[in-house]
Amino acid sequence: MINQERWFKFSLCEQMGHIGSEIGRARVWEEKNDMNARNQALERALELIDTTKDDARLYKRRKELCYLREVVADQYIGADVYNGSLKDLEKYCLDFALVARKNR
């Protein structure tokens, strides 16, 4: 369970970078055919997304975060409604991490 107080000290870019890291872990486990570890990483990503949605500073970004959650959940259940991949999701989130690193 993530500590909300600590999590809310991160910028959106840092939060998204951490979410991207979990998605990256899920991708690696999927490539190794370890679906249990993959699903655990995706569950952590979903938990981080949910915690990020609760960040009052990000009220105007909530719609985007809800969409991200939907796409990650789609990957989790394997429905492939959005025709995406974990690699695509990882890149989307980690681009935020690059911005966070640049802004330090």
Side-chain angles (χ1 to χ4, degrees), residues 47-61:
E47 179 185 356
L48 293 176
I49 293 168
D50 288 340
T51 304
T52 303
K53 284 181 1 190
D54 292 340
D55 190 337
R57 300 171 302 156
L58 305 176
Y59 176 77
K60 293 184 179 189
R61 304 296 294 264

Side-chain angles (χ1 to χ4, degrees), residues 7-29:
W7 186 252
F8 291 166
K9 290 180 181 178
F10 293 134
S11 69
L12 171 64
C13 290
E14 291 169 318
Q15 291 172 345
M16 293 294 286
H18 287 285
I19 292 166
S21 292
E22 290 299 337
I23 293 170
R25 285 183 189 89
R27 179 188 52 76
V28 168
W29 287 118

Side-chain angles (χ1 to χ4, degrees), residues 24-95:
R25 285 183 189 89
R27 179 188 52 76
V28 168
W29 287 118
E30 183 176 82
E31 290 171 357
K32 294 180 179 182
N33 291 320
D34 187 338
M35 298 311 275
N36 185 47
R38 170 201 176 265
N39 288 342
Q40 288 176 351
L42 287 176
E43 288 168 9
R44 287 190 301 270
L46 289 167
E47 179 185 356
L48 293 176
I49 293 168
D50 288 340
T51 304
T52 303
K53 284 181 1 190
D54 292 340
D55 190 337
R57 300 171 302 156
L58 305 176
Y59 176 77
K60 293 184 179 189
R61 304 296 294 264
R62 195 163 287 155
K63 185 176 181 179
E64 178 182 359
L65 291 165
C66 287
Y67 181 68
L68 174 62
R69 189 186 197 293
E70 246 181 80
V71 176
V72 172
D74 179 62
Q75 287 292 311
Y76 181 78
I77 63 172
D80 203 27
V81 171
Y82 295 100
N83 299 317
S85 69
L86 291 176
K87 186 175 182 178
D88 294 336
L89 284 168
E90 180 183 17
K91 181 181 177 346
Y92 170 75
C93 292
L94 291 181
D95 283 347

